[in-house]
Amino acid sequence: MATQSTGARRIVSAVKETFTAALDSVNTPGSRRRKRDALTEQHRLSFDLLCKAMDDPALAEVLNTYESQISPEKQRQFLFANALYVNNLHFYRIGALSQSELYGHLRVMCQNKVFREYWEATRHHRKSLPAESEEFALGRMTDDLIQELDDADTDEWWVVGDPPDESA
């Protein structure tokens, strides 16, 4: 019986050590690099698929989940607008852009009529995002920015809105 107890303690101890090591590794620079690398690979694959859809109307139709009928030309423009938006999100997620820098890029993108049409056409897509997700928060930030640009009483669009405070 003493042998089983000692053996059980060793197993529990080994499990605890393994679990602790796994938890510690989550915040190590190597794991952050692996996460960034995985995000980059996922972005690359998604972008490749998006490019194929932009080149082939039959493939683009698979991504047509808009609530209204749009022309193949508009579909390609929307796919490109999506590619620009997702590219900026990717740079933010891997740490190449701060949230304030992302905000600046979005402010420029939101000046474009086609991007705004795309953003409105995909509003229902963002409704499925969990409210606590980062993507939901960034979508809300873009919604708010568009509203601020619409409400602004200045032609100096580059000063409209307040970039996020990242010191908190």
Side-chain angles (χ1 to χ4, degrees), residues 39 52 62 66 79 81 95 102 110 118 128 134 138 141 167:
L39 284 170
K52 287 179 184 196
V62 173
Y66 308 106
L79 292 173
L102 173 62
C110 290
Y118 153 77
S128 67
E134 179 180 58
L138 296 173
M141 183 176 79
S167 62

Side-chain angles (χ1 to χ4, degrees), residues 11-159:
I11 292 171
V12 169
S13 178
V15 168
K16 282 183 181 178
E17 286 177 33
T18 303
F19 185 69
T20 301
L23 284 176
D24 290 344
S25 73
V26 169
N27 292 320
T28 63
S31 69
R32 285 191 295 267
R33 179 168 173 72
R34 282 189 298 277
K35 181 180 179 183
R36 189 179 70 228
D37 290 348
L39 284 170
T40 298
E41 183 60 21
Q42 185 261 337
H43 175 70
R44 187 180 349 263
L45 291 171
S46 294
F47 187 74
D48 287 347
L49 291 171
L50 202 54
C51 287
K52 287 179 184 196
M54 283 189 276
D55 290 340
D56 185 340
L59 296 178
E61 193 56 36
V62 173
L63 298 175
N64 187 348
T65 58
Y66 308 106
E67 292 181 329
S68 61
Q69 198 63 18
I70 62 171
S71 69
E73 179 181 333
K74 183 63 71 174
Q75 170 78 350
R76 289 184 74 193
Q77 290 176 331
F78 282 6
L79 292 173
F80 189 76
N82 174 260
L84 291 176
Y85 178 73
V86 170
N87 193 57
N88 279 290
L89 288 185
H90 171 68
F91 285 136
Y92 168 71
R93 286 179 174 147
I94 66 167
L97 289 178
S98 69
Q99 195 172 30
S100 294
E101 291 168 324
L102 173 62
Y103 187 87
H105 286 275
L106 292 172
R107 188 188 286 143
V108 172
M109 290 168 56
C110 290
Q111 294 306 304
N112 183 275
K113 177 185 171 215
V114 175
F115 180 82
R116 284 195 181 209
E117 289 174 23
Y118 153 77
W119 195 254
E120 184 58 35
T122 57
R123 179 171 301 284
H124 67 285
H125 296 174
R126 292 184 297 283
K127 287 182 180 179
S128 67
L129 296 171
E132 64 278 355
S133 73
E134 179 180 58
E135 192 169 350
F136 179 89
L138 296 173
R140 174 70 57 164
M141 183 176 79
T142 306
D143 289 338
D144 293 346
L145 176 58
I146 289 171
Q147 189 61 54
E148 289 174 7
L149 288 164
D150 286 345
D151 295 345
D153 59 357
T154 180
D155 291 333
E156 297 176 343
W157 57 266
W158 55 92
V159 298

